[in-house]
Amino acid sequence: NALDDTNAALTKATGMKVTASYAASSALAKQIEQSAPADVFISADLQWMDYLAERKLIKPDARVNLLGNKLVLIAPTDSKLATMTIGQGFDIATLAGDGRIAVADVKSVPAGLYAKAALEKLGAWRAAQPKLAQAENVRATLAFVARGETPIGIVYETDAKVEPKVKIVGTFPDGSYPPVTYPVAGTAESKKAGVAQYLQFLRTPAAKAIFEKYGFIFLNKPVS
């Protein structure tokens, strides 16, 4: 949602049109590795950007850590669950009852990797693991909870904020998982003149205002 709005603002300001393709960072990185046409890669974690960097598939001088985010626990809006404080010894398995816990794929998708790290740190992973309902990306995870297919789920704060059918019932504490960082870079294969302009626009005050409206943490000092 935030990137769609940012791209629309760029088009309005410059006439440049951007085509966005959304999927798990892992899936997008693999597509770029397999020569799918892409000019810019925005990842939800450092791992998949590093993956492409190691294969010389991005331009290192066109890479920057753009945004941050938080991990939250969600439930359907009509859930009886009240807002809670998440801390050491958090018993998410009991909280799920007879239901399951929606998460993104914990082996490859950043949101799932962060969720697994947090549950391990808080001592909840062993009991939670058998109850996981894993999805291919964070938006699919969100949909599980929004449709009432699972009583709880773990997503980014920004995803929870754009879905009226879910509510945030807890925020995972800082330090329980690696900082959620969204790096952006131009791809090595791109020869388009507009890539540098686009990357510059993502760091402007106009883009910052849009990202922050959606709950992202802007990691850079805006550039004009």
Side-chain angles (χ1 to χ4, degrees):
N1 301 70
L3 196 64
D4 281 348
D5 284 5
T6 304
N7 291 343
L10 172 73
T11 302
K12 185 176 179 181
T14 67
M16 184 192 299
K17 292 186 179 178
V18 181
T19 301
S21 176
Y22 297 108
S25 304
S26 48
L28 294 172
K30 292 284 188 179
Q31 287 170 20
I32 292 171
E33 185 181 21
Q34 292 159 14
S35 303
D39 301 296
V40 172
F41 177 48
I42 303 176
S43 175
D45 74 354
L46 298 172
Q47 173 185 319
W48 286 106
M49 187 63 79
D50 291 341
Y51 179 89
L52 292 185
E54 288 163 4
R55 287 156 180 77
K56 296 182 169 46
L57 294 173
I58 62 162
K59 294 173 181 169
D61 58 347
R63 173 179 175 172
V64 66
N65 290 341
L66 186 70
L67 303 169
N69 210 336
K70 290 186 177 296
L71 208 60
V72 297
L73 184 71
I74 58 169
T77 46
D78 59 0
S79 169
K80 292 183 173 61
L81 286 178
T83 303
M84 64 193 74
T85 300
I86 298 174
Q88 198 62 38
F90 175 53
D91 191 356
I92 193 171
T94 298
L95 200 65
D98 295 330
R100 304 188 74 176
I101 304 160
V103 293
D105 187 325
V106 298
K107 289 190 175 70
S108 62
V109 180
L113 294 168
Y114 292 127
K116 181 182 179 183
L119 294 176
E120 285 179 336
K121 184 79 171 178
L122 299 172
W125 172 250
R126 184 174 292 180
Q129 189 176 8
K131 292 191 170 189
L132 298 183
Q134 298 186 52
E136 63 183 351
N137 58 55
V138 71
R139 281 303 171 91
T141 307
L142 184 70
F144 277 157
V145 184
R147 294 194 298 258
E149 293 174 14
T150 64
I152 53 176
I154 302 173
V155 298
Y156 299 124
E157 182 178 28
T158 50
D159 292 300
K161 285 186 172 182
V162 296
E163 175 50 75
K165 293 181 180 178
V166 307
K167 63 181 180 180
I168 295 173
V169 293
T171 300
F172 286 86
D174 292 342
S176 63
Y177 56 96
V180 180
T181 305
Y182 294 72
V184 57
T187 61
E189 291 300 310
S190 178
K191 303 291 191 288
K192 290 185 181 173
V195 171
Q197 185 181 358
Y198 179 66
L199 293 173
Q200 180 84 350
F201 186 80
L202 292 178
R203 299 173 64 189
T204 60
K208 178 177 186 287
I210 294 169
F211 287 125
E212 289 184 341
K213 181 183 81 170
Y214 281 95
F216 286 99
I217 302 157
F218 203 75
L219 300 179
N220 288 266
K221 184 177 179 182
V223 292
S224 58

